[in-house]
Amino acid sequence: MVSAVIFLCFFFFLLCTSHAANHQHANFLRCFLEETGGSSSSPSMIYTPNDTSNFATLYRSSIQNLRFLSSGAETPSFLILPSVAHDAQAAVLCGRLHGVRLRVRSGGHDYEGLSYVSFISTDEPFAVLDLSDLRSIDVDAEARTAWVGAGATVGEVYYHVAAASTTAAFPAGVCTTVGVGGQFSGGGIGSLQRKYGVSADNIVDAELVNAEGELLTRETMGEDLFWAIRGGGAANFGVVVAYKLRLVPVPPQLTLFSVSRTLEEGATRLLHSWQSIAPRVADDLWLRTIALAVGEAPVNRTIQVIFQGLFLGPRRGMLEAINKSFPELGVRAEDCNELSWVETALSLDGHSLNDTSVLLDRRPVYNSSFKGKSDFVRKPISEKAWEGIWEVMMEGEEEPLVMILEPWGGRLWEIEDDAIAFPHRKGNLYNIQYFMRWFETQTEVTERHLTWMRRLYDYMAPHVSSNPRAAYLNYKDIDLGISTEEGRTSYKEASAWGSIYFLHNFEKLAKVKARVDPENYFWNEQGIPPFAAW
């Protein structure tokens, strides 16, 4: 009762201060508070920029890419933190009724900030639905399943799965502060992908609020929608509030190694060989590479290539596998560490091994800006071509531009490319993520970094997939194109990015969209519109 009174007082304060200026805002607030007033003993929280003591702090709390705070992008009129699924339903119902669109934020890692800002200037307000309070995790170790709130982070999933069983795991990403709501629905690549596929391959059920405000499960949403939210970006179709995961078996002991080589130590030759080896080794072995420029220019500037390997078994098995398939890498026993699965997750994300509770820390690791792009490679890049790539990468003298190369093969080649919406399967040797981070806030510094990134991306064009040049949805890139008119994106316009992220699955995704959200309520600048013939 006390909480209800507090919320009503808060509402009338906002109403009095904003009624004359924005009747639409007041109606949305009234509707939302009426819908959620009896939904739980801990009511959902809703904030506006008028609440100077809370809004800015909560809005910025999980923003991972600071350049969007000073980019001139539109910020939300409301920030909503649902505490139960009904609150998300209320946000959708009231949003549609009063013309307030929603942007859904899980962990705040959206590469282009589309989960919390808008690049379209409009008089129409929007709300950010921050799911961070919907992060309960219920692991059934015996059944090898887990229900996970969409606001949980990857690290929280890893922590609770490992606490329930030392021989269970879930295939997801290396960065543990990423929210599962976005990562799982966009695919979810990681160190177990060659053995078990991406995260979306291992989702067996979900709870989703559709454009009508209904809470649906796999049984009630239909198999076409369940197909779409596994790799097609769930925020295009509704609000996923929870996923049911199929856990996968892992041995009690895994082996992790990391070795690095510079150009002077034969890194180019080794990387050229890696391209054909890593996708074809036994699927118990994941072997990725990270390339970056190191040293001061011009005399000491060089390229360092880091080779990281994870083997599902003890050190002896790792050495046998790597020495059989890639002996020239020269991995030694002392390069290998035998660890539990959760310890490998800690190590790959740069944490010490003695405290798994760090996986529960949701706070952003960096207070910085970044830019990412992606490619898929279907034919090995020649040594000569790599030498040209190194020249471009060594141009910069500040924060390094990093290339992260994730191997395909194994289970990823076995699953059909239309089994779920995630389409990147057989034929790909590896994925490239181009990534750059910087800490300066000046506009000219940001533009210089973005220009450098785009130059490398353009240089890579002859060496990567084409027609279309594929990209990974979770490394979102608005350079591929954005909609210029809110809510009115055409299928033809969206094909500019849809055919790149989803390949031939894009048309089916748009047809699902037409069935479940024909008015395109769940719109964003790089979303999927309802299908319409050209």
Side-chain angles (χ1 to χ4, degrees):
M1 180 66 182
V2 174
S3 295
V5 172
I6 292 173
F7 280 116
L8 287 173
C9 291
F10 174 54
F11 163 70
F12 284 119
F13 167 75
L14 291 175
L15 181 61
C16 292
T17 58
S18 63
H19 177 80
N22 201 328
H23 185 69
Q24 183 181 24
H25 286 56
N27 285 340
F28 174 77
L29 277 168
R30 180 188 297 112
C31 176
F32 181 79
L33 292 172
E34 288 176 352
E35 287 288 335
T36 59
S39 67
S40 85
S41 59
S42 177
S44 175
M45 303 293 286
I46 183 167
Y47 303 90
T48 78
N50 293 332
D51 181 9
T52 56
S53 62
N54 291 307
F55 180 87
T57 299
L58 292 168
Y59 176 60
R60 293 173 61 110
S61 63
S62 67
I63 290 178
Q64 306 283 336
N65 200 344
L66 298 187
R67 65 188 171 100
F68 297 116
L69 293 177
S70 58
S71 65
E74 298 290 319
T75 55
S77 300
F78 306 96
L79 177 65
I80 303 169
L81 280 76
S83 59
V84 292
H86 177 79
D87 300 336
Q89 294 178 262
V92 173
L93 286 168
C94 295
R96 287 196 65 189
L97 182 62
H98 297 292
V100 177
R101 294 187 186 274
L102 295 181
R103 301 206 173 215
V104 183
R105 182 169 75 177
S106 176
H109 282 76
D110 188 303
Y111 272 36
E112 297 289 9
L114 297 183
S115 65
Y116 51 86
V117 298
S118 172
F119 294 104
I120 304 297
S121 296
T122 175
D123 293 332
E124 294 299 316
F126 73 93
V128 168
L129 191 66
D130 186 313
L131 303 182
S132 56
D133 285 342
L134 296 179
R135 62 176 189 268
S136 63
I137 298 174
D138 182 14
V139 179
D140 186 334
E142 184 176 350
R144 294 287 175 131
T145 60
W147 272 104
V148 176
T153 64
V154 169
E156 289 172 323
V157 173
Y158 289 170
Y159 177 90
H160 288 284
V161 170
S165 172
T166 58
T167 58
F170 187 74
V174 167
C175 181
T176 57
T177 58
V178 172
V180 305
Q183 184 178 105
F184 292 0
S185 75
I189 65 176
S191 61
L192 296 178
Q193 64 184 27
R194 300 190 67 254
K195 182 70 173 180
Y196 295 115
V198 297
S199 302
D201 291 321
N202 296 279
I203 293 172
V204 296
D205 204 346
E207 293 181 343
L208 174 140
V209 178
N210 69 2
E212 302 299 323
E214 301 167 318
L215 183 63
L216 307 176
T217 64
R218 178 176 184 173
E219 181 179 2
T220 54
M221 74 176 70
E223 283 300 307
D224 62 340
L225 179 53
F226 186 60
W227 174 89
I229 64 174
R230 291 175 294 160
N236 289 303
F237 305 94
V239 181
V240 171
V241 294
Y243 295 100
K244 185 178 184 180
L245 313 180
R246 176 177 58 239
L247 306 183
V248 301
V250 290
Q253 197 170 65
L254 292 74
T255 304
L256 187 67
F257 80 81
S258 179
V259 297
S260 64
R261 302 288 185 263
T262 63
L263 298 184
E264 295 75 18
E265 296 169 323
T268 304
R269 174 180 53 82
L270 289 170
L271 182 59
H272 180 258
S273 298
W274 171 90
Q275 298 174 104
S276 300
I277 294 170
R280 295 182 173 89
V281 295
D283 57 14
D284 285 337
L285 177 59
W286 170 79
L287 179 59
R288 78 167 178 175
T289 63
I290 302 170
L292 67 159
V294 296
E296 295 183 4
V299 178
N300 296 319
R301 197 69 161 162
T302 189
I303 294 292
Q304 181 184 56
V305 179
I306 303 167
F307 295 83
Q308 291 182 324
L310 177 66
F311 180 72
L312 301 180
R315 179 187 288 112
R316 181 183 67 257
M318 163 69 89
L319 290 171
E320 289 175 356
I322 200 71
N323 288 330
K324 178 182 178 181
S325 59
F326 202 4
E328 59 267 42
L329 186 57
V331 178
R332 305 164 300 173
E334 52 265 38
D335 298 319
C336 303
N337 291 308
E338 293 180 328
L339 305 169
S340 67
W341 167 70
V342 74
E343 287 174 330
T344 68
L346 287 166
S347 182
L348 287 169
D349 200 23
H351 300 297
S352 62
L353 304 180
N354 57 3
D355 183 13
T356 58
S357 67
V358 70
L359 296 172
L360 302 177
D361 189 346
R362 301 176 59 92
R363 292 174 298 177
V365 177
Y366 298 100
N367 192 32
S368 67
S369 299
F370 67 84
K371 172 66 178 177
K373 286 178 172 289
S374 63
D375 267 316
F376 286 87
V377 177
R378 301 176 72 86
K379 296 180 180 179
I381 300 172
S382 69
E383 288 190 45
K384 183 177 180 180
W386 280 116
E387 290 168 358
I389 294 165
W390 302 149
E391 290 181 9
V392 178
M393 290 186 67
M394 289 191 287
E395 287 177 0
E397 299 180 7
E398 302 173 16
E399 294 297 323
L401 195 163
V402 180
M403 291 178 63
I404 304 171
L405 285 61
E406 302 276 1
W408 248 234
R411 185 66 179 141
L412 288 174
W413 282 358
E414 296 171 354
I415 299 173
E416 295 296 326
D417 54 13
D418 60 355
I420 61 173
F422 180 83
H424 309 290
R425 304 292 185 175
K426 192 171 184 179
N428 293 300
L429 297 177
Y430 55 95
N431 166 266
I432 300 176
Q433 177 184 187
Y434 311 93
F435 189 86
M436 177 184 289
R437 186 184 299 281
W438 62 96
F439 296 87
E440 302 89 342
T441 57
Q442 300 92 328
T443 301
E444 59 272 19
V445 174
T446 293
E447 287 304 314
R448 186 169 70 249
H449 286 306
L450 295 178
T451 298
W452 183 23
M453 168 73 80
R454 289 163 183 154
R455 169 163 155 66
L456 176 60
Y457 183 76
D458 290 343
Y459 187 90
M460 291 294 295
H463 311 298
V464 298
S465 64
S466 59
N467 299 316
R469 183 177 181 177
Y472 175 38
L473 178 64
N474 283 355
Y475 302 152
K476 196 170 293 177
D477 180 9
I478 60 173
D479 292 345
L480 302 177
I482 60 171
S483 178
T484 57
E485 188 174 0
E486 181 176 358
R488 297 184 182 275
T489 312
S490 70
Y491 177 76
K492 182 177 181 180
E493 181 185 18
S495 296
W497 57 86
S499 63
I500 291 172
Y501 290 137
F502 309 116
L503 308 181
H504 61 272
N505 287 341
F506 177 57
E507 181 176 323
K508 180 177 177 180
L509 285 165
K511 289 178 177 177
V512 175
K513 174 78 168 182
R515 181 180 74 80
V516 303
D517 184 18
E519 297 178 5
N520 204 4
Y521 175 69
F522 294 109
W523 174 92
N524 68 71
E525 290 84 344
Q526 217 177 58
I528 298 171
F531 178 80
W534 297 15

